[in-house]
Amino acid sequence: MPVITVEGPKTDDLSKKRDFVEKVTEAASEFYSLPEESIIILMKENRQDNVSVGGKLLTDKK
Amino acid sequence: MPVITVEGPKTDDLSKKRDFVEKVTEAASEFYSLPEESIIILMKENRQDNVSVGGKLLTDKK
Amino acid sequence: MPVITVEGPKTDDLSKKRDFVEKVTEAASEFYSLPEESIIILMKENRQDNVSVGGKLLTDKK
Amino acid sequence: MPVITVEGPKTDDLSKKRDFVEKVTEAASEFYSLPEESIIILMKENRQDNVSVGGKLLTDKK
Amino acid sequence: MPVITVEGPKTDDLSKKRDFVEKVTEAASEFYSLPEESIIILMKENRQDNVSVGGKLLTDKK
Amino acid sequence: MPVITVEGPKTDDLSKKRDFVEKVTEAASEFYSLPEESIIILMKENRQDNVSVGGKLLTDKK
């Protein structure tokens, strides 16, 4: 613990993922004064037709 | 915010999805007295062999 | 299953809660063609200082 | 309710899944003094490149 | 990782909690063939008026 | 969307929270190439007796 779950769109850019988890881990370690090694991040990919904002599916917002 | 996560079976019927997110968004907007635009819904699809009820996998309950 | 988790602000109005869970349960039952009895809703209350939108805590957005 | 969400790696061994959900359901039923039939388990599979521990993607930890 | 989130009612019995997390950790370690030390369990307590089953709040089901 | 849920210990330091959500929002906006305004963070506080690592409650690890 801490465990950070990130719900977002599909992403395949590994180098951007590496950069992202590094920054969030660093920020969380500082925030909680806990070692980076204890911080887990789960990135969840969501299809556009499975997400709605304001009652509209993201697929319909294009 | 608010954020509503819906864990359910696989679904592909887009028109039913549109209807569902519309109704839930409307109900949440009313409940929280918040604008519909602020309401996010994430629909999560679960395979039958990854869900159990009463200690039995749904695949084994057919 | 299905399980619906609703992340929102604090709410104490029981009659509004009853109305909300009824509507969402009905919509989910219809969407998934599953009996209402199988639908679980978990309402989660979040303090304003524990939620941020656009990098700002909700407490700072007043 | 209760609802148990298990975030882990990909798993295909059905017999191990059956054994796992049986044991966790039994433990939860005992813990909460609730009937096994009321206990739902959702198993979530995560790709190695979508999980980080200590700021490193699991794919990079091999 | 793995991370197991348990949504249930309020519980204060520490010895039952110890027993529960021990059993679930053991079952998860076996299931995923991963060391017990890597397994995290988060127990979430839900008030009865914030949970509904079949469209009814648990408080109304007594 | 994106929605980031952070499961951690209790925290009351508002200035550290502001700093944390700012950094994570910035990192997520960059990662997903989405506007900061679309990024929601939910911070969840967990009591030590409701979290276990390696089968032991955090309260028992002191």
PDB file of all heavy atoms in Angstrom, chain F residues 48-60:
ATOM      1  N   GLN F  48      -5.407   1.517   9.579  1.00  0.00           N
ATOM      2  CA  GLN F  48      -4.345   0.509   9.590  1.00  0.00           C
ATOM      3  C   GLN F  48      -4.888  -0.896   9.862  1.00  0.00           C
ATOM      4  O   GLN F  48      -4.336  -1.880   9.386  1.00  0.00           O
ATOM      5  CB  GLN F  48      -3.329   0.865  10.688  1.00  0.00           C
ATOM      6  CG  GLN F  48      -2.704   2.259  10.526  1.00  0.00           C
ATOM      7  CD  GLN F  48      -1.407   2.212   9.758  1.00  0.00           C
ATOM      8  OE1 GLN F  48      -0.510   1.455  10.116  1.00  0.00           O
ATOM      9  NE2 GLN F  48      -1.317   2.988   8.686  1.00  0.00           N
ATOM     10  N   ASP F  49      -6.002  -0.966  10.614  1.00  0.00           N
ATOM     11  CA  ASP F  49      -6.518  -2.305  10.945  1.00  0.00           C
ATOM     12  C   ASP F  49      -7.401  -2.856   9.829  1.00  0.00           C
ATOM     13  O   ASP F  49      -7.940  -3.952   9.943  1.00  0.00           O
ATOM     14  CB  ASP F  49      -7.319  -2.287  12.262  1.00  0.00           C
ATOM     15  CG  ASP F  49      -8.572  -1.420  12.172  1.00  0.00           C
ATOM     16  OD1 ASP F  49      -8.463  -0.315  11.582  1.00  0.00           O
ATOM     17  OD2 ASP F  49      -9.647  -1.834  12.637  1.00  0.00           O
ATOM     18  N   ASN F  50      -7.521  -2.077   8.738  1.00  0.00           N
ATOM     19  CA  ASN F  50      -8.312  -2.552   7.588  1.00  0.00           C
ATOM     20  C   ASN F  50      -7.434  -2.839   6.370  1.00  0.00           C
ATOM     21  O   ASN F  50      -7.932  -3.026   5.270  1.00  0.00           O
ATOM     22  CB  ASN F  50      -9.397  -1.533   7.216  1.00  0.00           C
ATOM     23  CG  ASN F  50     -10.648  -1.717   8.066  1.00  0.00           C
ATOM     24  OD1 ASN F  50     -10.888  -2.811   8.591  1.00  0.00           O
ATOM     25  ND2 ASN F  50     -11.421  -0.659   8.224  1.00  0.00           N
ATOM     26  N   VAL F  51      -6.118  -2.870   6.576  1.00  0.00           N
ATOM     27  CA  VAL F  51      -5.180  -3.144   5.475  1.00  0.00           C
ATOM     28  C   VAL F  51      -4.217  -4.244   5.918  1.00  0.00           C
ATOM     29  O   VAL F  51      -3.697  -4.212   7.046  1.00  0.00           O
ATOM     30  CB  VAL F  51      -4.351  -1.889   5.105  1.00  0.00           C
ATOM     31  CG1 VAL F  51      -3.379  -2.207   3.958  1.00  0.00           C
ATOM     32  CG2 VAL F  51      -5.268  -0.733   4.715  1.00  0.00           C
ATOM     33  N   SER F  52      -3.988  -5.200   5.031  1.00  0.00           N
ATOM     34  CA  SER F  52      -2.963  -6.214   5.340  1.00  0.00           C
ATOM     35  C   SER F  52      -1.973  -6.297   4.186  1.00  0.00           C
ATOM     36  O   SER F  52      -2.320  -6.098   3.020  1.00  0.00           O
ATOM     37  CB  SER F  52      -3.602  -7.587   5.580  1.00  0.00           C
ATOM     38  OG  SER F  52      -3.964  -8.214   4.354  1.00  0.00           O
ATOM     39  N   VAL F  53      -0.728  -6.584   4.543  1.00  0.00           N
ATOM     40  CA  VAL F  53       0.336  -6.860   3.564  1.00  0.00           C
ATOM     41  C   VAL F  53       1.000  -8.158   4.020  1.00  0.00           C
ATOM     42  O   VAL F  53       1.369  -8.289   5.185  1.00  0.00           O
ATOM     43  CB  VAL F  53       1.373  -5.717   3.506  1.00  0.00           C
ATOM     44  CG1 VAL F  53       2.519  -6.083   2.553  1.00  0.00           C
ATOM     45  CG2 VAL F  53       0.722  -4.403   3.088  1.00  0.00           C
ATOM     46  N   GLY F  54       1.106  -9.124   3.120  1.00  0.00           N
ATOM     47  CA  GLY F  54       1.715 -10.396   3.486  1.00  0.00           C
ATOM     48  C   GLY F  54       0.949 -11.138   4.571  1.00  0.00           C
ATOM     49  O   GLY F  54       1.528 -11.865   5.369  1.00  0.00           O
ATOM     50  N   GLY F  55      -0.377 -10.915   4.624  1.00  0.00           N
ATOM     51  CA  GLY F  55      -1.205 -11.662   5.578  1.00  0.00           C
ATOM     52  C   GLY F  55      -1.229 -11.075   6.979  1.00  0.00           C
ATOM     53  O   GLY F  55      -1.848 -11.638   7.877  1.00  0.00           O
ATOM     54  N   LYS F  56      -0.547  -9.925   7.165  1.00  0.00           N
ATOM     55  CA  LYS F  56      -0.527  -9.299   8.493  1.00  0.00           C
ATOM     56  C   LYS F  56      -1.218  -7.924   8.416  1.00  0.00           C
ATOM     57  O   LYS F  56      -0.958  -7.140   7.497  1.00  0.00           O
ATOM     58  CB  LYS F  56       0.931  -9.083   8.953  1.00  0.00           C
ATOM     59  CG  LYS F  56       1.713 -10.352   9.245  1.00  0.00           C
ATOM     60  CD  LYS F  56       1.487 -10.840  10.681  1.00  0.00           C
ATOM     61  CE  LYS F  56       2.111 -12.219  10.904  1.00  0.00           C
ATOM     62  NZ  LYS F  56       1.325 -13.290  10.157  1.00  0.00           N
ATOM     63  N   LEU F  57      -2.070  -7.622   9.405  1.00  0.00           N
ATOM     64  CA  LEU F  57      -2.656  -6.280   9.460  1.00  0.00           C
ATOM     65  C   LEU F  57      -1.550  -5.263   9.723  1.00  0.00           C
ATOM     66  O   LEU F  57      -0.601  -5.528  10.449  1.00  0.00           O
ATOM     67  CB  LEU F  57      -3.696  -6.209  10.597  1.00  0.00           C
ATOM     68  CG  LEU F  57      -4.931  -7.107  10.491  1.00  0.00           C
ATOM     69  CD1 LEU F  57      -5.805  -6.962  11.733  1.00  0.00           C
ATOM     70  CD2 LEU F  57      -5.727  -6.796   9.225  1.00  0.00           C
ATOM     71  N   LEU F  58      -1.687  -4.059   9.118  1.00  0.00           N
ATOM     72  CA  LEU F  58      -0.642  -3.035   9.316  1.00  0.00           C
ATOM     73  C   LEU F  58      -0.519  -2.687  10.797  1.00  0.00           C
ATOM     74  O   LEU F  58       0.568  -2.395  11.283  1.00  0.00           O
ATOM     75  CB  LEU F  58      -0.966  -1.790   8.491  1.00  0.00           C
ATOM     76  CG  LEU F  58      -0.856  -1.925   6.970  1.00  0.00           C
ATOM     77  CD1 LEU F  58      -0.971  -0.557   6.298  1.00  0.00           C
ATOM     78  CD2 LEU F  58       0.456  -2.587   6.536  1.00  0.00           C
ATOM     79  N   THR F  59      -1.633  -2.751  11.516  1.00  0.00           N
ATOM     80  CA  THR F  59      -1.589  -2.447  12.955  1.00  0.00           C
ATOM     81  C   THR F  59      -0.647  -3.420  13.662  1.00  0.00           C
ATOM     82  O   THR F  59      -0.008  -3.062  14.648  1.00  0.00           O
ATOM     83  CB  THR F  59      -2.977  -2.639  13.622  1.00  0.00           C
ATOM     84  OG1 THR F  59      -3.764  -3.501  12.813  1.00  0.00           O
ATOM     85  CG2 THR F  59      -3.711  -1.338  13.823  1.00  0.00           C
ATOM     86  N   ASP F  60      -0.538  -4.650  13.168  1.00  0.00           N
ATOM     87  CA  ASP F  60       0.308  -5.660  13.824  1.00  0.00           C
ATOM     88  C   ASP F  60       1.738  -5.594  13.318  1.00  0.00           C
ATOM     89  O   ASP F  60       2.600  -6.352  13.765  1.00  0.00           O
ATOM     90  CB  ASP F  60      -0.275  -7.075  13.568  1.00  0.00           C
ATOM     91  CG  ASP F  60      -1.666  -7.225  14.178  1.00  0.00           C
ATOM     92  OD1 ASP F  60      -1.980  -6.462  15.134  1.00  0.00           O
ATOM     93  OD2 ASP F  60      -2.440  -8.075  13.704  1.00  0.00           O
TER      94      ASP F  60
END
